[in-house]
Amino acid sequence: MNASDRPLDTSPHVSDEIRKTTCYMCACRCGINVHIRKDENGVDKVRYIEGNRDHPINKGVLCAKGSAGIMQHYSPARLRKPLLRTGERGKGEFKEIEWDEAMDLATKWLGDIRAKDPKKLAFFTGRDQSQCLNGFWAQQYGTQNFASHGGFCSVNMAAGGIYTFGGAFWEFGAPDWDKTELFMLFGVAEDHDSNPIKLGLAKLKERGVKVIAVNPVRTGYNAIADEWVGITPGTDGLFVLSIVHQLFKMGKIDIDYLIRYTNAPWLVIDDEDAPNHGLIARLPDDRRLVLDRVTGKVVPFDTKGVKPALKGSAKTANGQNAVPVFELMARKYLDDKYEPEAVAKRTGVPAEQIRRIANELAEAAFEREIIIDQPWVDMKGEKHSQMIGRPVAIHAMRGISAHSNGFQTCRALHMLQIILGSIDCPGGYRFKPPYPKPMKAQPQPHGGSTPNSPLAGPVLGLPRGPKDLLIEKDGSAKRIDKAYSWDAPMAVHGLMHMVIANAYARDPYGIDVLFMYMANMSWNSSMNTYGTMKMLEAKDENGEYIIPKIIYSDAYNSEMVAYADLVLPDTTYLERHDVISLLGRPISEPDAIADAVRWPVVDPATQLDGDGKKRDVRAFQSVMIDLGGRLKLPGFVNEDGSVKFKDYADYITNHERTHMVGPLSGFRGKKGDKVGRGDPNPDQIQRYIDNGGFFMHHIPLKAQYFKHANRHWSDWAIEVGIQDQPIENIFRLYLEPLRKFQLCAEGKLEPTPPESHRQRIKDCFDPLPDWYEPFEGEGIDDKEYPYNALTQRPAAMYHSWGSQNAWLRQIHGSNPMYVPGNICEDVGLVDGDWAWVSSHHGKIKVQVKRMDAVNPNTMWTWNAIGKRSGSWNLSPDAPEAKKGFLLNHLIHELLPPKKDGMRWSNSDPITGQAAWFDLRVKIEKAEAGDEVTEPQFEPLKSGIDKVVDDVEYGKEWTK
Ligand code: SF4
């Protein structure tokens, strides 16, 4: 429709009512003002969404996605009522049922297996923001088979950071935008931490601070960087270690920082044949040992007045040789293999550029030191008159972590930050509370389901070593995704991308119910998409589904709906309560704790669907609370068996994770005047709403930096309930748990992994940050598949959510394959040509667009634009289905067979992170023919009965 054709709004002017809540068009959690006006029937209508200028995250900024939330709310793809499958799985044939029947059915299915074998429930959720509730629910239910989407997203970034220094990027920490003098971005797509990064980059541009962006593709943030490093995918770790090599050679290392805050001086046993070779030397009371360079004695690291040596060697009390961690670092990183010339070809980064960037980092850190005259006291009680900063800030995300070497790469990047002394100092990276939360402050994983019982602790956690593995006596995995087994010993967030394949293979066992929320596993959230559909449909020799029951909850008619047996329709994000909690992933800033709510700014019972029919949907979180009560899960019922919480709002208000600490930190206590710790306040959510949907409480100035070692921070964190006691946070440059797993593989420590795992653990679990070749390349012929292929998300879309949105579809209705100019010339491709792109696993037909601002060996496309024909209530001929495509068809959940015929999971061997970006491909021009992407599938039937071709706000379907 042309602008001139649009009918003018001639209705008499009525002021909008503004309701303040939290955006959920991506995961950034900006504050929004939702303008509401009643229609002629008195029904609330969403008219307009703008940014909330008072909100700490976005300060009024709103992106294209955020303003298009109105079309998400009125999407024709919204589900309307619970659905029960009537046809074969995958056919999209359902009947609508009432909620009573749906809940009875779900309670029976879940209750039966809880009474027999709770681990037969696999409960996995996607990019939802209620992981805190869901994890608690899974623990109370008693299944160890729970995780959220982290394992297929960016767990390496989170795990690498937490293990190394107790933080990470995004929700965990941020650049000091106001003070930094040099900023580096690694592998950041435009949707990650979206508005905060835009605001931060604007600040840097205003101050003329140099921005260096490392990414194979130069779009978005990378396009406005002062310098772009068009790195080859999977080699970021090698590039970083070459910079580290240069810094070691130049002596540009903050030695004082390393001695104060890291394990660089700790002694490591250097006694090759001993069973403790490579472990930290310690006393029986666990105090780690250092060599005092003044006395020459080996003493505990926390001895008063000790001057630890970073070099040399020492003898421990039992006569074993030991060397400081830093000595091992120097030996490793000064190796010629990290010379810029030695890594230039593999990384695609010229040697002189690596050298110059190393120099610039050193110059910014050490020549442009920042001093704040703010006295503070460290955890040892030592007084400091100033806060001294090394103004280099780094931010990184999925691009460097979604590789089979991603954990080590993320650790390498953190090591770079640490040797420059730029963690939580003025001008550097800054922790966002409740972080830092180092390994010692994190739970360990729990397994061992028993009938009708909760687990002894949280399902997910950070293993400290082999003792925390969740394996059976025969070494097989306890979890369906094999997290915390030899496949991925330090899995942390689970391996969601392996759940369906393992359940189908009944390896390590079959499951009875697969329960998923917001996880589009039969399409863009799975590797091997077609294979996954077939696994969901597969039957055994008795004609029974191999995955017997599938419950799925979503607000929209996504591709996954067709594969469910029971569909529980969720509300839109404007119709439900939600909590952005300090117990989960809050919206804190480096100088303040902050959390937020969503609340029903419109009542779902009044909002009609595309046919003008009433919807009967329920917020997933309230459904979980209801199920918890019906199943009599301990955390959800009182001692007399009565239901503890009436819905999610009640849970948010009254649930206490520990005494007087609950999901929301603000307005606690009977009068609402307590912060962090306080009794539940029945008016708490209303107080948040009155405050603009969020709460913020500032950290005292003396506690704002060096939080990992700052006594004022520790005292304040205990006062506001984000810590219970002081926590030792010594940065782990040398990560001992990795060495323990190596000792197991060497046969020196129990348990011993199966022979087939040993070499891989020896090779990849280096306790010092390391780089090794991504796995996919090992199993294939480089000459046959010479190129890398990857995806990234655009600023205007978030996963599959946006490409059904009437406004956002106009920005990205289809996706071409962006092919480097040199490859186009070699293969004879021009813009608009069609081509076949193949991997070891599959073949897709795509339309080509030439691009020169990209690594010359890497083609790429936007993620999750392609839709399956007939899904999301789009027309079967929608451009998303006919011109859009998924790269997922080329990626398998298993790697190509190795020489011994074994096929490993396509994941990081340490954390199990899905290695999406290791993909290797070839490209050939397609013969003239249909101008449609391949593969195409039989159009899905809809779980809703009307397909809407033309969506326009204000037309009858919104009424
Ligand atoms: S970045 Fe955009 S979509 Fe994401 S929360 Fe903020 S306004 Fe919403």
Side-chain angles (χ1 to χ4, degrees):
M1 173 181 272
N2 297 322
S4 55
D5 298 335
R6 287 199 185 117
L8 286 175
D9 181 358
T10 54
S11 55
H13 180 74
V14 184
S15 294
D16 293 343
E17 185 185 337
I18 295 173
R19 298 178 187 166
K20 293 172 187 277
T21 186
T22 307
C23 183
Y24 200 0
M25 289 296 289
C26 83
C28 293
R29 295 151 292 186
C30 298
I32 49 172
N33 298 343
V34 183
H35 289 238
I36 307 278
R37 199 184 292 179
K38 292 198 186 303
D39 71 5
E40 61 276 15
N41 300 317
V43 174
D44 285 340
K45 287 298 187 65
V46 180
R47 300 203 22 109
Y48 176 57
I49 297 175
E50 63 176 342
N52 176 353
R53 287 172 176 75
D54 302 321
H55 198 275
I57 287 277
N58 56 321
K59 300 172 180 69
V61 173
L62 196 72
C63 74
K65 303 184 293 280
S67 54
I70 190 166
M71 283 311 196
Q72 208 79 2
H73 176 68
Y74 288 119
S75 166
R78 284 170 302 166
L79 294 168
R80 180 168 58 207
K81 228 173 148 53
L83 299 172
L84 187 64
R85 182 173 58 78
T86 52
E88 293 291 305
R89 243 190 226 159
K91 298 293 177 201
E93 291 163 7
F94 293 97
K95 66 173 181 182
E96 290 187 346
I97 58 173
E98 299 302 322
W99 271 101
D100 280 350
E101 186 182 349
M103 294 301 281
D104 286 350
L105 211 48
T107 307
K108 169 138 184 48
W109 291 357
L110 298 172
D112 284 353
I113 51 177
R114 186 167 191 259
K116 282 193 233 137
D117 190 358
K119 72 172 185 296
K120 296 288 183 116
L121 165 65
F123 175 40
F124 285 79
T125 67
R127 197 60 177 94
D128 68 291
Q129 289 177 354
S130 44
Q131 293 150 16
C132 227
L133 166 72
N134 296 335
F136 183 66
W137 192 97
Q139 179 191 339
Q140 301 303 309
Y141 180 90
T143 180
Q144 63 246 31
N145 289 323
F146 161 75
S148 184
H149 81 295
F152 71 58
C153 183
S154 222
V155 66
N156 276 335
M157 205 73 255
I162 299 287
Y163 271 112
T164 306
F165 68 105
F169 300 114
W170 199 357
E171 296 99 329
F172 308 81
D176 192 342
W177 299 112
D178 295 315
K179 296 189 178 64
T180 198
E181 292 287 327
L182 180 62
F183 180 56
M184 281 191 87
L185 265 173
F186 284 79
V188 183
E190 284 91 275
D191 68 316
H192 261 126
D193 204 8
S194 182
N195 284 341
I197 289 192
K198 285 179 222 153
L199 287 163
L201 287 172
K203 283 185 178 178
L204 300 187
K205 292 279 170 191
E206 276 164 23
R207 291 199 294 118
V209 172
K210 182 168 181 181
V211 176
I212 303 173
V214 183
N215 199 314
V217 183
R218 189 167 198 186
T219 58
Y221 308 141
N222 301 283
I224 63 153
D226 300 283
E227 181 171 352
W228 171 60
V229 181
I231 198 162
T232 302
T235 66
D236 303 82
L238 190 56
F239 169 68
V240 169
L241 293 181
S242 186
I243 292 175
V244 168
H245 170 89
Q246 283 301 110
L247 295 173
F248 265 85
K249 268 177 92 171
M250 295 188 290
K252 293 292 185 185
I253 287 170
D254 192 335
I255 295 293
D256 182 54
Y257 190 91
L258 294 192
I259 290 173
R260 281 181 186 282
Y261 305 129
T262 78
N263 68 1
W266 290 6
L267 291 170
V268 176
I269 302 293
D270 182 21
D271 186 355
E272 275 210 11
D273 297 325
N276 60 351
H277 174 57
L279 297 184
I280 302 289
R282 45 178 35 102
L283 294 176
D285 66 4
D286 201 43
R287 278 187 299 165
R288 281 54 51 95
L289 297 171
V290 296
L291 171 64
D292 189 328
R293 63 177 188 268
V294 177
T295 64
K297 289 189 177 154
V298 172
V299 295
F301 78 99
D302 53 359
T303 304
K304 207 163 173 77
V306 67
K307 303 272 183 240
L310 290 182
K311 292 193 245 169
S313 66
K315 290 275 183 225
T316 62
N318 62 1
Q320 284 189 292
N321 200 44
V323 291
V325 165
F326 190 79
E327 171 85 28
L328 297 176
M329 290 170 66
R331 285 182 202 167
K332 182 176 174 79
Y333 301 122
L334 281 168
D335 192 300
D336 288 347
K337 72 180 182 187
Y338 298 119
E339 273 290 330
E341 282 74 11
V343 308
K345 184 157 181 276
R346 184 67 187 93
T347 59
V349 186
E352 57 274 19
Q353 193 175 13
I354 299 174
R355 244 187 215 101
R356 184 175 43 72
I357 289 173
N359 286 340
E360 288 180 25
L361 286 166
E363 195 272 334
F366 299 107
E367 310 302 323
R368 287 188 257 167
E369 187 173 89
I370 290 179
I371 296 176
I372 299 178
D373 287 321
Q374 171 61 57
W376 63 288
V377 179
D378 68 25
M379 293 298 283
K380 292 182 197 150
E382 202 176 314
K383 293 184 180 157
H384 304 259
S385 58
Q386 297 173 320
M387 292 175 160
I388 297 174
R390 308 259 173 241
V392 170
I394 290 175
H395 186 93
M397 217 8 101
R398 194 166 179 235
I400 69 165
S401 68
H403 294 281
S404 50
N405 59 16
F407 180 75
Q408 290 284 18
T409 293
C410 295
R411 290 241 314 131
L413 192 65
H414 297 314
M415 176 173 70
L416 172 62
Q417 294 175 283
I418 291 168
I419 64 174
L420 289 170
S422 67
I423 297 282
D424 216 39
C425 67
Y429 161 95
R430 298 184 68 191
F431 290 114
K432 290 179 177 180
Y435 294 91
K437 273 169 72 169
M439 185 167 60
K440 280 199 166 184
Q442 302 281 347
Q444 283 145 285
H446 289 81
S449 298
T450 47
N452 284 325
S453 307
L455 297 182
V459 182
L460 300 172
L462 265 75
R464 298 351 183 213
K467 286 198 180 117
D468 289 325
L469 285 172
L470 294 182
I471 52 175
E472 304 290 356
K473 286 204 178 71
D474 65 0
S476 62
K478 281 191 174 172
R479 283 179 56 113
I480 187 68
D481 58 357
K482 303 193 184 182
Y484 310 116
S485 76
W486 293 113
D487 280 39
M490 290 155 71
V492 180
H493 290 176
L495 285 76
M496 186 152 168
H497 59 294
M498 296 308 297
V499 172
I500 292 169
N502 291 354
Y504 165 75
R506 295 183 172 133
D507 174 19
Y509 45 78
I511 57 168
D512 285 343
V513 175
L514 176 65
F515 187 2
M516 290 194 149
Y517 175 50
M518 278 174 68
N520 202 15
M521 299 306 285
S522 65
W523 198 245
N524 57 286
S525 293
S526 276
M527 296 173 166
N528 182 19
T529 308
Y530 178 66
T532 304
M533 292 183 221
K534 291 287 139 206
M535 293 179 216
L536 292 169
E537 290 170 0
K539 293 184 174 177
D540 63 15
E541 56 286 0
N542 301 318
E544 304 293 334
Y545 285 113
I546 290 177
I547 301 174
K549 297 184 180 74
I550 300 177
I551 305 175
Y552 184 55
S553 179
D554 202 325
Y556 302 99
N557 192 25
S558 66
E559 285 88 348
M560 184 62 193
V561 167
Y563 292 87
D565 303 314
L566 176 64
V567 179
L568 305 176
D570 191 15
T571 63
T572 73
Y573 72 104
L574 297 177
E575 298 170 317
R576 64 168 176 254
H577 282 100
D578 232 331
V579 56
I580 322 298
S581 170
L582 290 172
L583 301 179
R585 303 176 71 171
I587 53 163
S588 297
E589 290 291 297
D591 54 6
I593 49 170
D595 51 19
V597 295
R598 288 191 190 93
W599 58 286
V601 296
V602 284
D603 176 358
T606 66
Q607 305 292 297
L608 307 181
D609 76 354
D611 288 341
K613 289 186 187 158
K614 280 222 165 196
R615 290 153 67 232
D616 188 9
V617 297
R618 291 186 188 174
F620 171 76
Q621 295 77 9
S622 288
V623 167
M624 294 308 289
I625 305 269
D626 187 357
L627 281 172
R630 289 168 186 250
L631 290 163
K632 305 260 180 254
L633 306 186
F636 295 89
V637 289
N638 298 307
E639 277 180 15
D640 64 2
S642 60
V643 167
K644 204 165 181 177
F645 309 107
K646 94 174 176 315
D647 55 20
Y648 194 38
D650 191 12
Y651 174 91
I652 292 170
T653 308
N654 291 308
H655 172 69
E656 289 179 279
R657 189 54 59 92
T658 54
H659 182 50
M660 296 210 291
V661 174
L664 288 171
S665 68
F667 311 110
R668 297 195 68 82
K670 296 275 183 275
K671 295 188 203 150
D673 56 352
K674 298 275 187 293
V675 176
R677 288 183 197 277
D679 289 323
N681 169 13
D683 294 328
Q684 191 180 30
I685 291 179
Q686 189 57 49
R687 294 288 298 272
Y688 270 76
I689 293 169
D690 297 343
N691 195 50
F694 67 96
F695 171 79
M696 195 168 195
H697 181 66
H698 282 88
I699 305 169
L701 269 176
K702 59 191 176 185
Q704 286 191 8
Y705 289 102
F706 304 104
K707 300 184 190 85
H708 49 278
N710 187 324
R711 168 70 61 191
H712 309 293
W713 155 263
S714 178
D715 293 346
W716 184 83
I718 293 167
E719 183 188 315
V720 300
I722 57 180
Q723 278 181 207
D724 290 327
Q725 58 194 14
I727 300 166
E728 176 194 279
N729 185 8
I730 291 167
F731 299 163
R732 261 57 175 183
L733 294 165
Y734 190 92
L735 189 56
E736 194 182 41
L738 289 170
R739 178 61 198 146
K740 288 182 180 169
F741 287 111
Q742 281 187 322
L743 285 172
C744 292
E746 291 166 12
K748 293 176 181 162
L749 191 67
E750 290 291 328
T752 309
E755 178 62 41
S756 53
H757 286 263
R758 288 185 204 158
Q759 195 57 47
R760 192 169 69 139
I761 293 172
K762 286 182 207 169
D763 292 346
C764 302
F765 284 52
D766 192 324
L768 286 175
D770 195 25
W771 181 84
Y772 50 86
E773 284 286 351
F775 290 164
E776 179 157 323
E778 285 179 13
I780 55 165
D781 182 349
D782 272 8
K783 292 197 184 66
E784 189 177 0
Y785 299 106
Y787 307 121
N788 303 95
L790 46 82
T791 59
Q792 59 175 12
R793 288 195 296 266
M797 296 277 185
Y798 195 67
H799 294 289
S800 53
W801 306 352
S803 50
Q804 52 101 14
N805 181 299
W807 288 352
L808 300 180
R809 290 180 65 206
Q810 296 174 48
I811 302 174
H812 296 283
S814 62
N815 52 316
M817 180 70 92
Y818 292 96
V819 181
N822 53 303
I823 300 178
C824 285
E825 277 154 28
D826 287 351
V827 182
L829 293 166
V830 295
D831 273 4
D833 277 353
W834 288 81
W836 289 101
V837 179
S838 323
S839 71
H840 77 94
H841 171 56
K843 193 170 178 182
I844 57 175
K845 190 176 161 193
V846 301
Q847 198 162 21
V848 166
K849 190 143 184 63
R850 178 185 171 128
M851 182 171 176
D852 289 303
V854 61
N855 174 280
N857 278 320
T858 305
M859 59 194 73
W860 71 280
T861 190
W862 298 118
N863 186 41
I865 304 292
K867 299 278 189 225
R868 180 164 167 186
S869 178
S871 63
W872 295 87
N873 276 36
L874 297 174
S875 153
D877 293 325
E880 287 81 358
K882 297 297 175 189
K883 301 271 194 235
F885 68 92
L886 293 182
L887 211 57
N888 306 49
H889 298 299
L890 301 182
I891 306 172
H892 201 281
E893 70 272 8
L894 299 176
L895 290 165
K898 298 185 64 106
K899 285 193 195 97
D900 59 6
M902 297 284 287
R903 293 192 72 179
W904 297 108
S905 150
N906 187 6
S907 312
D908 186 298
I910 300 170
T911 61
Q913 150 106 54
W916 297 102
F917 297 155
D918 284 357
L919 178 64
R920 302 294 303 244
V921 297
K922 64 180 172 189
I923 186 166
E924 301 152 285
K925 191 167 177 170
E927 296 297 324
D930 290 347
E931 299 204 330
V932 173
T933 50
E934 297 282 353
Q936 290 286 323
F937 300 95
E938 181 193 349
L940 274 179
K941 275 200 205 149
S942 174
I944 321 170
D945 40 21
K946 185 178 176 190
V947 169
V948 178
D949 285 325
D950 187 13
V951 178
E952 184 196 337
Y953 181 74
K955 286 284 188 189
E956 71 286 348
W957 63 271
T958 63
K959 291 188 177 166

